[in-house]
Amino acid sequence: MSKINVLLAEDELALGMIIQESLESRDFKVRLCQDGQKAWESYQAQKPDVLVLDVMMPKKDGFSLASEIRKIDPHTPIIFLTSKSQTEDVVKGFGLGANDYVRKPFSMEELIVRIKAHLDRLRTRQNQSDWIALGQYEFHPTRQLLKLGDHEQPLTSRESQLLQILLQNANDITDRTVILNQIWGSDDFFNARSMDVFITKLRKKLQDDPEIQILNVRGYGFKLVC
């Protein structure tokens, strides 16, 4: 089995080297960059399996880097490393298409478990190869695409996961707690705010079919009407 290729962007050299050595000792392949611009260049030169990005970096911060990557790549898992814990920062990160947040200080075991979990989810989606009818749209879970006629628009990893769960319960109510635990791993306040952001983004991407609605059932969850 080939090694998992990790692009690590961390401007604190000592911490970056510790993370790199720890991952490599567990048979990962790691490229360490100390600023966002070098990380962007490294990503373009050799696409990694997963990105682990510090938020606060010189030249290009983690949010800006993630935003650029998501414009061309909706699939590769992005995990933020950050000491920032304000709600708006968490919501912003997920809104840009991040898959996860790991707050400093953290254990290496926690980071490794999260990396492997997101890669497992990606492989599962890649094993699902069919387009799914959704009103006038078609949805491809593996490729994370919505298609309307000849027009295709990419979905982020979380948008795709969220839409899949809503589709499984189409025209019925899906409990907010179920969604949060399945996708975010916790139903805490920060994750709930992030989920609301993704619901809004999905509504916009489905707005060209007026028969499709994602209804907010107050106090319980969401209902995909299609």
Side-chain angles (χ1 to χ4, degrees):
M1 183 179 295
S2 59
K3 293 183 178 181
I4 295 173
N5 190 340
V6 180
L7 174 56
L8 170 63
E10 170 57 63
D11 68 328
E12 295 182 35
L13 181 58
L15 176 59
M17 291 181 67
I18 290 171
I19 297 172
Q20 180 180 26
E21 291 171 5
S22 297
L23 290 174
E24 288 179 342
S25 70
R26 293 164 173 84
D27 215 29
F28 289 78
K29 182 179 179 181
V30 181
R31 284 173 287 148
L32 173 61
C33 300
Q34 287 186 261
D35 66 65
Q37 182 59 38
K38 289 181 180 177
W40 171 239
E41 293 168 0
S42 180
Y43 168 83
Q44 291 177 299
Q46 186 179 359
K47 183 181 174 182
D49 297 311
V50 61
L51 297 110
V52 180
L53 309 178
D54 186 23
V55 172
M56 301 301 293
M57 293 187 293
K59 298 185 179 179
K60 190 188 299 289
D61 64 38
F63 289 150
S64 299
L65 177 57
S67 179
E68 289 193 33
I69 289 171
R70 281 293 179 250
K71 290 177 182 177
I72 59 174
D73 176 4
H75 307 294
T76 303
I78 296 176
I79 299 173
F80 278 129
L81 297 179
T82 181
S83 56
K84 303 179 73 174
S85 59
Q86 296 296 317
T87 304
E88 57 267 27
D89 295 321
V90 176
V91 171
K92 180 178 180 180
F94 283 127
L96 289 170
N99 299 83
D100 214 342
Y101 252 91
V102 177
R103 292 182 176 86
K104 301 175 184 177
F106 59 89
S107 72
M108 285 305 305
E109 294 306 321
E110 176 190 2
L111 178 59
I112 290 168
V113 165
R114 289 174 183 261
I115 289 173
K116 290 183 175 179
H118 287 296
L119 289 173
D120 285 344
R121 292 189 189 109
L122 180 60
R123 293 188 188 104
T124 298
R125 290 195 300 272
Q126 289 172 341
N127 290 330
Q128 301 169 341
S129 58
D130 296 331
W131 288 95
I132 300 171
L134 175 56
Q136 297 178 30
Y137 289 88
E138 291 180 278
F139 170 48
H140 200 300
T142 305
R143 296 169 60 194
Q144 297 177 200
L145 290 173
L146 269 179
K147 183 166 67 173
L148 183 62
D150 295 327
H151 175 67
E152 293 183 351
Q153 57 179 327
L155 300 176
T156 67
S157 175
R158 287 189 185 273
E159 287 171 346
S160 183
Q161 290 175 337
L162 180 55
L163 186 54
Q164 281 182 270
I165 292 176
L166 292 173
L167 265 171
Q168 289 169 5
N169 301 285
N171 299 308
D172 200 354
I173 300 172
T174 305
D175 193 316
R176 290 175 63 91
T177 302
V178 170
I179 298 173
L180 287 166
N181 286 324
Q182 285 192 25
I183 300 180
W184 280 268
S186 168
D187 61 352
D188 65 26
F189 174 77
F190 299 106
N191 290 336
R193 286 284 302 276
S194 173
M195 179 178 64
D196 290 339
V197 170
F198 279 92
I199 289 289
T200 299
K201 293 167 85 68
L202 274 181
R203 284 174 176 145
K204 290 180 179 178
K205 292 189 173 183
L206 294 165
Q207 66 184 355
D208 289 329
D209 184 348
E211 299 298 318
I212 298 176
Q213 299 181 68
I214 301 177
L215 304 178
N216 184 5
V217 182
R218 186 174 295 277
Y220 192 81
F222 298 97
K223 182 178 181 179
L224 175 64
V225 179
C226 57

